[in-house]
Amino acid sequence: MHFTALVFATMALAAPLDRRVRPGGDISVTPGNCGVHVTQFQKPNPATDNYKLDIRMFDGAQKLIGVSNGQENAPSGQGVVVTNFFQSSDLTVTAQNVDDDPLLFSFQAQNFDSNSGQCSVGAYDSGKREMDCGFSCVGGSF
């Protein structure tokens, strides 16, 4: 699945997610092929610092439905959880130890990594790399 252009185009047009609305509200989501855009920031000092992740999740209609809290601290092996508007289905993104390690993703009993065919990953540039991944998502509005 490769929809990098679609996700980037959507990011430019999407209305910001209202962080005050939490699951349980009257939010409609579109199941199907969801996506996630991640910016992974390199460790300033690899011996002592952690990666930081900025995560945006999109539903089957490419509507923004979940975001991280800016640049989330991502200690190796500890997932960053992105609450979204799919009932009981948080997206978890986990950084590993070194720059060459893939990010790990978990959503609705699916587990994959950024080296899989589900993701398009750019090279590190100016201390960060961008990636887009696609995955199936089921569910509906609350």
Side-chain angles (χ1 to χ4, degrees), residues 3 6-7 9-11 13-18 21 26-31 33-37 56-67 84-86 135 137 140-142:
F3 53 89
L6 179 60
V7 171
T10 302
M11 287 175 54
L13 300 173
L17 181 71
D18 185 346
V21 179
D26 186 18
I27 299 297
S28 178
V29 294
T30 304
N33 293 317
C34 288
V36 62
H37 177 81
R56 302 194 181 295
M57 182 179 172
F58 300 87
D59 72 1
Q62 280 66 56
K63 178 176 67 180
L64 183 64
I65 60 166
V67 295
N84 58 78
F85 296 113
F86 276 96
F135 50 92
C137 51
S141 61
F142 291 87

Side-chain angles (χ1 to χ4, degrees), residues 40 42-43 51 95-104 113-115 121-124 129 131:
Q40 181 179 14
Q42 288 179 298
K43 300 174 181 181
Y51 289 107
Q96 298 189 79
N97 298 310
V98 297
D99 287 351
D100 287 338
D101 288 340
L103 293 182
L104 307 175
D113 67 48
S114 58
N115 285 345
V121 182
Y124 280 100
R129 67 177 175 175
M131 66 186 72

Side-chain angles (χ1 to χ4, degrees), residues 8 11 37-41 120-123 128-132:
F8 283 121
M11 287 175 54
H37 177 81
V38 180
T39 303
Q40 181 179 14
F41 297 87
S120 173
V121 182
K128 64 182 180 179
R129 67 177 175 175
E130 309 281 339
M131 66 186 72
D132 293 293

Side-chain angles (χ1 to χ4, degrees), residues 104-127:
L104 307 175
F105 296 86
S106 177
F107 181 76
Q108 291 184 337
Q110 299 171 76
N111 297 293
F112 58 96
D113 67 48
S114 58
N115 285 345
S116 73
Q118 293 177 241
C119 299
S120 173
V121 182
Y124 280 100
D125 183 23
S126 302

